[in-house]
Amino acid sequence: MKPLAITDARIIDPARGIDTTADILIADRTIAAIGRPEIPSDAMRIDAGGLVAAPGLVDAGVFKSEPAAFLAGGITRTLLMPDQSPVIDDPALAERAQRIGKPHVWVHPLAAATRGLAGTELAEVALMKAAGAVAIATGRRQIASAAVMYRLLQYAAAFDLVTVVHAEDAALTEGAEATTGETATRLGLASAPAIAEAVAIARDVRLAEAAGARLHIHQVTTAEGLDVIRTARLRGARITCGTAPAYLLLNDEAVTGYRTFTRLSPPLRSEDDRRALLGGLADGTIDCLTSAHDPRGQDEKRLPFAHATPGMSGAETLLALAISAGENAGVPLARLIAMMSATPAAIFGVPGGNLGEGAPADIVLFDPGAPWRIAASKFVSAGDNTPFDGLPVQGRVKWTVKGGEIAFAG
């Protein structure tokens, strides 16, 4: 490979506390130097004047692997949830999942906690770890049985694996389409109380503490859920959490008109919850921002609200929506980048997330002030379902470099 030089970029490397204007020299798929290195005459060049160069984004929990969509969003590594067809509950399936996006996107599979994600029999987690799984996940649903969950957490602790959970009490949310409140009542939607999240988090945190395990809440969406996490951390619980921009920017009123593109899992919450999440972003309670990329086809969304499948296509809009949420919460750009790169990489022990010499040359180059309008019809993703269609935003990915190669040019 020819060397690649990125010149005059604003380099933000939160893992090393760097925010400076400099050049980046890439050779042999790794970062060779940062500063003002001598650039070989045969090097390819990207003039990055006015652009931010940051570590390639690490998306901590997607439901479908779409390499082209990830690269368009500046994402170079993803953690793939086990809810696949077939479910990632076997070592061979974990090995296969890793090959989906290579060489341009590295997929790190999450092992299914139970066989078929049925919530009853533990899967062969140890074998899947040996095959490349970086964590255990319960998928789109909670494990209803506390006994099964406790055994899982003990098993996870023995292998020092993080357990990623969906935080909604299964008994409370069965059959629900929305969050209990004025909007659900007015629309006649089957609903579940927001407390279902805090109940689930409280149970799993206590079980994780007893087992000595590490726990990650894939998406926290309520004020009470945040309070449970804060209290648990004061006790010393090993708990981290993430959320998606949708919960920071939208409330349950967005479903008015039975807009099925706003049907998500967990469902959108109240305005009070949304504001509390912005507070959790600002005070550091929320560790990660994830796209929770879950694209759906028209046949799954163009249905009555009760029959529409939850989920949204989020990979291509992650960075821009994160910037919008960060502005609302007063969070600096460097910390937002950390929440989408260095922090998830550290939590799950995957490479990347920093721009140090010798690190993988995974870089996103973006213009943080570039205005554009989200247009679902132009998505690279096979699913054009987003509640943000037509929204004006700022922050556009211009280049994505993976392993020293230009993988996307916008």
Side-chain angles (χ1 to χ4, degrees):
M1 285 180 58
K2 285 186 177 181
L4 174 64
I6 300 170
T7 60
D8 294 321
R10 177 189 172 190
I11 299 172
I12 299 181
D13 183 359
R16 299 188 302 142
I18 291 174
D19 187 343
T20 188
T21 299
D23 302 338
I24 304 173
L25 179 62
I26 296 167
D28 297 325
R29 299 190 177 276
T30 61
I31 295 173
I34 289 181
R36 297 298 179 189
E38 183 177 345
I39 298 174
S41 59
D42 64 340
M44 294 179 60
R45 290 175 179 255
I46 296 177
D47 180 1
L51 302 182
V52 170
L57 305 187
V58 179
D59 199 345
V62 303
F63 291 91
K64 185 175 182 179
S65 186
E66 292 191 305
F70 296 142
L71 293 171
I75 299 164
T76 55
R77 293 179 186 271
T78 64
L79 276 66
L80 182 64
M81 299 293 274
D83 315 57
Q84 307 300 310
S85 182
V87 170
I88 303 176
D89 61 0
D90 180 89
L93 297 174
E95 288 180 359
R96 188 182 74 170
Q98 294 175 82
R99 296 194 294 269
I100 294 173
K102 286 184 177 179
H104 287 143
V105 175
W106 281 33
V107 174
H108 301 282
L110 303 183
T114 57
R115 292 194 179 278
L117 291 174
T120 53
E121 182 185 356
L122 296 188
E124 291 290 350
V125 173
L127 294 179
M128 284 188 282
K129 178 184 179 181
V134 298
I136 308 168
T138 66
R140 290 187 176 92
R141 290 177 57 84
Q142 180 201 43
I143 292 177
S145 167
V148 173
M149 188 65 189
Y150 184 47
R151 289 199 300 274
L152 170 67
L153 289 165
Q154 290 176 309
Y155 198 18
F159 291 97
D160 194 29
L161 283 170
V162 179
T163 300
V164 181
V165 296
H166 179 90
E168 287 187 292
D169 183 272
L172 287 173
T173 59
E174 187 66 35
E177 304 155 14
T179 301
T180 300
E182 180 183 339
T183 301
T185 300
R186 176 164 43 84
L187 298 177
L189 298 175
S191 64
I195 196 175
E197 177 173 282
V199 169
I201 294 174
R203 185 203 75 169
D204 289 348
V205 166
R206 295 301 289 171
L207 293 175
E209 287 179 291
R214 292 186 290 155
L215 191 72
H216 181 77
I217 312 301
H218 180 225
Q219 295 188 88
V220 61
T221 63
T222 67
E224 194 163 355
L226 286 170
D227 287 342
V228 173
I229 291 168
R230 290 186 183 106
T231 301
R233 285 177 175 170
L234 290 174
R235 296 195 305 267
R238 302 165 72 193
I239 179 171
T240 53
C241 66
T243 198
Y247 302 102
L248 296 161
L249 298 171
L250 299 174
N251 62 31
D252 60 349
E253 292 182 8
V255 308
T256 298
Y258 303 98
R259 296 180 63 232
T260 57
F261 281 16
T262 64
R263 186 170 183 193
L264 307 178
S265 178
L268 291 172
R269 306 300 191 180
S270 70
E271 177 63 8
D272 286 344
D273 285 323
R274 187 190 75 83
R275 290 181 179 275
L277 284 180
L278 289 175
L281 193 69
D283 68 19
T285 303
I286 297 171
D287 301 285
C288 304
L289 288 174
T290 174
S291 73
H293 186 65
D294 196 3
R296 299 293 178 176
Q298 296 289 325
D299 58 335
E300 296 176 285
K301 283 294 187 180
R302 300 290 185 187
L303 296 168
F305 197 91
H307 301 293
T309 306
M312 65 169 279
S313 181
E316 294 166 71
T317 57
L318 173 60
L319 182 59
L321 294 177
I323 290 173
S324 295
E327 289 177 347
N328 291 344
V331 176
L333 182 59
R335 190 145 73 81
L336 289 173
I337 292 171
M339 297 174 75
M340 296 181 285
S341 59
T343 301
I347 290 172
F348 295 97
V350 301
N354 77 88
L355 297 178
E357 292 185 12
D362 300 347
I363 301 170
V364 56
L365 289 161
F366 66 96
D367 184 343
W372 60 290
R373 189 178 296 273
I374 295 173
S377 62
K378 296 181 180 179
F379 277 3
V380 177
S381 170
D384 60 359
N385 55 304
T386 173
F388 297 103
D389 193 22
L391 181 73
V393 291
Q394 288 184 321
R396 194 95 199 227
V397 175
K398 298 296 186 180
W399 308 82
T400 303
V401 176
K402 175 66 181 135
E405 293 185 62
I406 296 172
F408 171 82

